Amino acid sequence: VIDTPPALGVALVNAVLAAAELGGGVLIPCTPEPQVVEGLGKLLATLGDIRQALRKDVPVLGVGLTKVEKQVRVARELEADLR
């Protein structure tokens, strides 16, 4: 497990490279909040760019939802959209 800060920078590229070399994949933790879901699209695009540059398949193993508050309508809707 390699944990990186929530940024599209050098740490992410290095972690994806390490995952590729070790035959692993990427698990994306996120909270069901509008700005996080928007950033998820940017992250997936960046992962595609990294895969293309590395010429290696680094699978996205899934998106793990954290801090889900079922009583908050927006959280329930975003959770449903992510699934």
Side-chain angles (χ1 to χ4, degrees), residues 1-2 14-27 54 56-61:
V1 175
I2 303 170
N14 287 336
V16 173
L17 177 59
E21 290 297 317
L22 297 171
V26 177
L27 178 62
L54 295 175
K56 292 190 178 194
D57 183 33
V58 184
V60 174
L61 303 174

Side-chain angles (χ1 to χ4, degrees), residues 32 68-81:
V68 178
E69 296 181 35
K70 295 284 187 180
Q71 66 274 18
V72 178
R73 182 183 53 82
V74 173
R76 287 192 313 266
E77 291 172 358
L78 290 172
E79 178 184 9
D81 288 345

Side-chain angles (χ1 to χ4, degrees), residues 17-61:
L17 177 59
E21 290 297 317
L22 297 171
V26 177
L27 178 62
I28 305 167
C30 76
T31 56
E33 299 171 352
Q35 67 274 17
V36 174
V37 174
E38 181 181 315
L40 185 59
K42 293 177 185 176
L43 173 60
L44 293 174
T46 300
L47 287 173
D49 293 342
I50 294 170
R51 284 187 193 132
Q52 188 175 13
L54 295 175
R55 294 191 173 114
K56 292 190 178 194
D57 183 33
V58 184
V60 174
L61 303 174

